[in-house]
């Protein structure tokens, strides 16, 4: 991207463009990463520092505190032959039911740490190229939460990160890309400035008018370099539906 003269935009740049304080550049690109995986230290944070490009990492705070996300527990349990619903199925049930299943599994199996720890997160936040955003506490599917659950997931993640890093957190990413008008209202109430979806569309000047519904092209691990490039350019999504 640098060789092809793309212009890397930070979260501050996005907000400035949205507020007509800065022009919308040709060839602009925004890079965001969800969850806060342990591998982010080498394949995101160090790369951002080396190439001097801004990246926002949206972190789920419970994983930062305790080491793991909920869905790897499901995957391991099923790999071990335990009779539990699939990750896909649990994304479709109520949040209370999902939590009940995950709590049951955690009593029976353990995982090595998969998320950045707090010291790594604090170190990353000190980089001028890394912005830390909120991604809820437990990474639930927000539309499956009751009103109070959804609000607390958003609020508590924001306040926890602000306490950890001693700075304002104003950007958010919806877990799994799922949201409703309720979540948008909560973000406004909590003074977030922007929120990102997983809608596979180009981020245009017009799209910036819906600042809590910003689109993103998703790039996945385990795909070929050719597919990754096609996804980043928005070509893949024209022919295939994830």
């Amino acid at each position: 991207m640098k060789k092809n003269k793309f212009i890397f935009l930070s979260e501050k740049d996005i907000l400035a463009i949205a507020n007509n304080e800065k022009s919308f550049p040709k060839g602009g690109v925004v890079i965001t990463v969800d969850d806060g995986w342990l591998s982010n230290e080498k394949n995101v944070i160090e790369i951002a520092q080396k190439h001097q490009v801004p990246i926002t990492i949206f972190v789920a705070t419970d994983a930062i505190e305790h080491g793991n996300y909920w869905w790897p527990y499901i995957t391991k349990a099923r790999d071990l032959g335990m009779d539990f619903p699939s990750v896909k199925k649990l994304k479709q049930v109520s949040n209370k039911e999902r939590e009940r299943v995950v709590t049951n599994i955690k009593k029976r199996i353990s995982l090595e740490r998969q998320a950045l720890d707090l010291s790594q997160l604090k170190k990353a936040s000190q980089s001028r190229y890394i912005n830390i955003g909120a991604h809820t506490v437990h990474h639930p599917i927000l539309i499956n939460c009751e009103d109070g659950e959804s609000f607390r997931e958003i609020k508590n993640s924001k306040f926890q990160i602000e306490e950890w890093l001693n700075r304002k957190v104003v950007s958010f990413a919806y877990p799994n890309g799922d949201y409703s008008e309720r979540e948008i209202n909560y973000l406004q109430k909590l003074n977030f400035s922007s929120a990102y979806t997983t809608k596979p569309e180009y981020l245009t000047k017009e799209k910036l008018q819906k600042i809590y519904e910003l689109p993103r092209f998703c790039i996945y691990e385990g795909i070929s370099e050719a597919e990754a490039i096609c996804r980043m350019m928005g070509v893949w999504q024209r022919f295939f539906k994830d």
Side-chain angles (χ1 to χ4, degrees), residues 65-79:
E65 286 192 278
H66 300 110
N68 299 97
Y69 309 94
W70 65 265
W71 58 96
Y73 281 100
I74 308 299
T75 301
K76 182 172 181 179
R78 287 170 63 86
D79 287 345

Side-chain angles (χ1 to χ4, degrees), residues 92-106:
Q92 299 170 349
V93 302
S94 72
N95 189 54
K96 281 185 168 55
E97 174 61 15
R98 179 193 64 81
E99 287 184 330
R100 185 191 67 78
V101 173
V102 174
T103 298
N104 191 5
I105 294 175
K106 286 183 176 180

Side-chain angles (χ1 to χ4, degrees), residues 54-234:
I55 296 178
T56 293
I57 302 176
F58 295 104
V59 300
T61 54
D62 182 75
I64 300 299
E65 286 192 278
H66 300 110
N68 299 97
Y69 309 94
W70 65 265
W71 58 96
Y73 281 100
I74 308 299
T75 301
K76 182 172 181 179
R78 287 170 63 86
D79 287 345
L80 292 173
M82 297 181 185
D83 186 20
F84 287 105
S86 66
V87 173
K88 182 178 181 179
K89 180 66 176 178
L90 287 174
K91 287 182 178 182
Q92 299 170 349
V93 302
S94 72
N95 189 54
K96 281 185 168 55
E97 174 61 15
R98 179 193 64 81
E99 287 184 330
R100 185 191 67 78
V101 173
V102 174
T103 298
N104 191 5
I105 294 175
K106 286 183 176 180
K107 294 176 180 178
R108 302 172 63 177
I109 64 175
S110 62
L111 297 173
E112 294 183 0
R113 170 172 280 276
Q114 296 172 308
L116 294 167
D117 64 28
L118 184 53
S119 64
Q120 291 170 311
L121 185 69
K122 288 181 176 180
K123 181 180 178 181
S125 72
Q126 294 170 3
S127 169
R128 59 179 294 191
Y129 302 106
I130 299 296
N131 173 55
I132 304 298
H135 198 43
T136 71
V137 177
H138 300 99
H139 203 289
I141 307 302
L142 289 171
I143 59 174
N144 295 337
C145 294
E146 296 178 358
D147 292 350
E149 290 177 316
S150 177
F151 184 73
R152 287 190 296 273
E153 284 286 341
I154 297 171
K155 180 190 74 172
N156 292 349
S157 65
K158 172 184 170 69
F159 289 178
Q160 182 65 84
I161 298 170
E162 289 180 340
E163 180 182 326
W164 283 341
L165 305 183
N166 193 30
R167 66 183 62 178
K168 288 294 182 181
V169 172
V170 297
S171 52
F172 184 84
Y174 303 103
N176 208 53
D178 294 302
Y179 69 100
S180 67
E181 282 296 321
R182 178 185 67 179
E183 279 68 44
I184 293 176
N185 291 334
Y186 290 161
L187 291 170
Q188 292 173 326
K189 184 176 182 179
L190 291 165
N191 296 316
F192 278 93
S193 300
S194 65
Y196 290 78
T197 72
T198 55
K199 294 178 181 177
E201 301 170 353
Y202 293 106
L203 181 57
T204 63
K205 180 69 173 177
E206 291 70 32
K207 291 290 194 311
L208 282 172
Q209 301 310 304
K210 292 187 176 182
I211 199 66
Y212 297 106
E213 299 178 82
L214 300 178
R216 295 186 292 177
F217 293 128
C218 294
I219 315 299
Y220 301 107
E221 58 190 271
I223 61 177
S224 68
E225 181 179 0
E227 180 181 336
I229 292 173
C230 286
R231 284 180 175 276
M232 285 188 280
M233 298 297 102

